Amino acid sequence: MAAVVESSSDAQGDAGPVEAGGYRQELKRTLGSFQVFAISFAFISVAVGIFATFDEVLLTAGPVGIWLWIVVAVGQTLVALVVAQFAARIPLSGSSYQWASRLASPRVGWCFGWLTFCYLAIGVVAIDNALASQAFMPLAGIAPDEDTARLITLVVLLVQTVIAVASTRLVSLINTVAVGLELALVVVVAIALVIAVAVTGDGAAGNLTSRGVVEGAPDYFAVGGGLMLAMIMGLATLVGFDSAANLAEEAKDPFRTVPRAIVGSVVAAGVLGMLFLITLTLAIDDIPRISAAGSPVAAIMRDQLGPATERAVLVAITLAFFGAGIVVMVACSRLVFAMSRDGRFPAHRLMRRVNPRTRTPIPATVLVFALGVVLMVALPGAALLELITASTILPAITYGSTIVLYLTVRGRLGRKKGAFDLGRFELPVAVCALVWTLVALFVLVTPGEAFVSVVIVVGLLFLGGLFLTLMLRLDRQAMETEPGEADFLAD
């Protein structure tokens, strides 16, 4: 188990919370407040999420289903506030893994880490495969083809791996550019669509209350029916805001910047996403035709703003996908690194290594790439799709578990002066957040189509149990003791 050692001379006093946690400051602190915000915002990626799921809303709930985005945004903001409370107290790489390990037990923490690892590892593949099939191939004029999409996905994974191991600063620069383009895309396109509708008259305010092609559907208001399914757009998009916490050891002033990034990214994504959805819906001139389109967002752009604008949007969406993918890869590698330096991950002696020149965990990053290659090469299309769908359930389970943990241990949490703190509102916010996560889980697992996804999640949990049993046999001490100072969480 790691011991407290002196920080490297170039840590420049930033190693305090890392040393107190029982580690050496190996990762380089290069991320400022906006860069940390950009990490969480890029993971959420409003444009990417809406681009990928708007068609499902039109086909299940109709255009009126967009208003459920507000419900999800408010609920996820409550969750983010609770997550930020942990991030302000334990600014260590590994986020929920670290929080649960230190406040419950190493075994509980391992379970949190496993859930997060599964979600992030699958997420990298999901994002990059969507980049290939939904953005890059249409942009390049390549006909839809699963094998071609998989090949492009592998190339994208390789490029992201090279960048991720080369420099965290380079990842931050690319991500900042991608986030800037995405913010500009959402705002500029929203304004352009409003102007286009006003000038041409194509589109209608009535779209905002229309059920579209599912008007009169008998199961529209039923449990697991069309209206409820529209919530999945927000639930699949407004997640991953805790990714900034996975890079806490590379953030400057993490007690403040990381919590603010977590909450700020959800609020910004919620507001901008609603603005984008309203303008997109207003601009629909033929609901049945747009609902039947493979990519409704691109079709609306083409109708209202012309083919040139559609291509520009596809360029921006491609970059947004790339930025989101590389952020997920980096976050996953930091989680593997965090678990490995505690001796709690397979091949931990290799996975904990940090390159002294790049100050990045190269073996952990390569592992994420290797898993992506395996999923792309080994799984047939239907199985890959089911696995990706199942991954939307994992963050809801993790967030719900994190909130339960917070409600259980909040009395033991210290408070650092000047750090993010909800004060007297922490209990009502946490209770409301827990209620919301239960609602979100119900929405995700109730539909009949979710059965296979639920089975996959159960399978992943079972596999995690087998790994945990193996770790207990190989090194029980690592699973029972925690590094760091005894008063690490004291007031």
Side-chain angles (χ1 to χ4, degrees):
M1 188 61 65
V4 178
V5 295
E6 291 185 4
S7 62
S8 57
S9 59
D10 60 347
Q12 298 177 344
D14 289 326
V18 179
E19 285 192 338
Y23 310 115
R24 178 165 58 93
Q25 179 72 45
E26 297 181 272
L27 304 175
K28 191 173 182 179
R29 292 196 184 277
T30 59
L31 304 176
S33 57
F34 182 78
Q35 285 78 20
V36 177
F37 165 82
I39 287 167
S40 286
F41 188 86
F43 195 124
I44 296 172
S45 194
V46 171
V48 167
I50 292 176
F51 191 88
T53 59
F54 191 54
D55 58 335
E56 289 298 319
V57 173
L58 295 178
L59 292 172
T60 57
V64 71
I66 66 168
W67 297 108
L68 288 172
W69 177 275
I70 297 176
V71 177
V72 178
V74 172
Q76 295 299 83
T77 299
L78 292 172
V79 176
L81 287 168
V82 177
V83 171
Q85 290 284 96
F86 274 133
R89 270 99 163 178
I90 310 177
L92 298 172
S93 294
S95 60
S96 60
Y97 156 72
Q98 287 282 5
W99 307 335
S101 292
R102 295 174 183 275
L103 294 167
S105 73
R107 298 182 188 186
V108 174
W110 194 94
C111 295
F112 274 70
W114 174 252
L115 282 172
T116 307
F117 170 73
C118 290
Y119 169 60
L120 294 175
I122 297 170
V124 176
V125 174
I127 292 171
D128 288 349
N129 190 242
L131 182 159
S133 61
Q134 299 181 34
F136 181 79
M137 290 174 67
L139 176 64
I142 301 174
D145 179 75
E146 183 179 334
D147 291 337
T148 302
R150 287 179 182 245
L151 179 60
I152 295 172
T153 301
L154 292 175
V155 173
V156 173
L157 280 168
L158 179 60
V159 173
Q160 289 171 334
T161 302
V162 172
I163 295 172
V165 302
S167 168
T168 301
R169 186 185 294 275
L170 180 58
V171 170
S172 174
L173 176 62
I174 292 172
N175 187 52
T176 299
V177 172
V179 168
L181 283 173
E182 184 171 356
L183 288 169
L185 168 70
V186 172
V187 174
V188 172
V189 168
I191 294 173
L193 286 175
V194 170
I195 294 174
V197 170
V199 171
T200 65
D202 295 332
N207 292 344
L208 298 174
T209 56
S210 171
R211 295 191 199 176
V213 296
V214 292
E215 182 72 44
D219 62 343
Y220 188 79
F221 294 103
V223 173
L227 188 62
M228 185 195 294
L229 289 174
M231 292 181 66
I232 294 177
M233 175 171 64
L235 290 172
T237 303
L238 299 175
V239 294
F241 42 81
D242 53 322
S243 57
N246 262 328
L247 279 76
E249 293 177 30
E250 294 159 87
K252 301 173 184 177
D253 192 14
F255 291 101
R256 294 180 179 84
T257 58
V258 173
R260 290 172 182 173
I262 290 171
V263 178
S265 61
V266 180
V267 173
V271 173
L272 289 173
M274 194 69 247
L275 171 67
F276 195 37
L277 285 169
I278 290 173
T279 54
L280 281 174
T281 305
L282 284 171
I284 298 175
D285 64 347
D286 186 338
I287 292 177
R289 179 175 61 82
I290 294 298
S291 298
S295 177
V297 176
I300 293 169
M301 302 291 180
R302 183 169 57 251
D303 288 347
Q304 297 288 356
L305 305 175
T309 301
E310 179 194 6
R311 292 186 63 81
V313 168
L314 286 174
V315 170
I317 290 291
T318 300
L319 292 174
F321 268 118
F322 187 86
I326 199 169
V327 163
V328 179
M329 174 177 283
V330 170
C332 189
S333 69
R334 287 350 180 232
L335 174 64
V336 172
F337 162 74
M339 296 178 71
S340 296
R341 67 181 173 184
D342 290 339
R344 299 173 188 162
F345 198 86
H348 59 86
R349 289 182 178 84
L350 173 64
M351 294 300 155
R352 66 179 295 172
R353 293 180 184 174
V354 174
N355 185 278
R357 184 177 64 83
T358 65
R359 303 284 290 276
T360 57
I362 294 179
T365 308
V366 173
L367 172 65
V368 181
F369 167 73
L371 289 173
V373 172
V374 170
L375 292 178
M376 277 288 96
V377 173
L379 288 184
L384 181 63
L385 180 61
E386 293 290 356
L387 182 64
I388 291 172
T389 304
S391 71
T392 61
I393 301 174
L394 294 173
I397 296 175
T398 303
Y399 291 147
S401 301
T402 300
I403 296 166
V404 171
L405 175 67
Y406 182 79
L407 288 169
T408 304
V409 306
R410 67 187 186 87
R412 294 161 44 198
L413 291 174
R415 283 171 167 78
K416 182 179 176 63
K417 185 178 180 180
F420 182 89
D421 190 359
L422 289 176
R424 62 182 179 179
F425 296 105
E426 64 176 355
L427 181 57
V429 167
V431 171
C432 291
L434 180 59
V435 172
W436 162 250
T437 56
L438 293 176
V439 171
L441 272 172
F442 181 77
V443 170
L444 290 168
V445 305
T446 300
E449 299 86 348
F451 176 76
V452 175
S453 298
V454 172
V455 171
I456 291 174
V457 170
V458 172
L460 290 173
L461 294 176
F462 178 75
L463 182 60
L466 293 179
F467 270 126
L468 178 58
T469 302
L470 178 63
M471 297 301 296
L472 287 169
R473 287 181 175 275
L474 294 177
D475 191 350
R476 178 172 291 273
Q477 183 180 3
M479 300 299 296
E480 294 180 346
T481 59
E482 197 67 44
E485 300 173 4
D487 61 348
F488 180 63
L489 298 170
D491 289 340

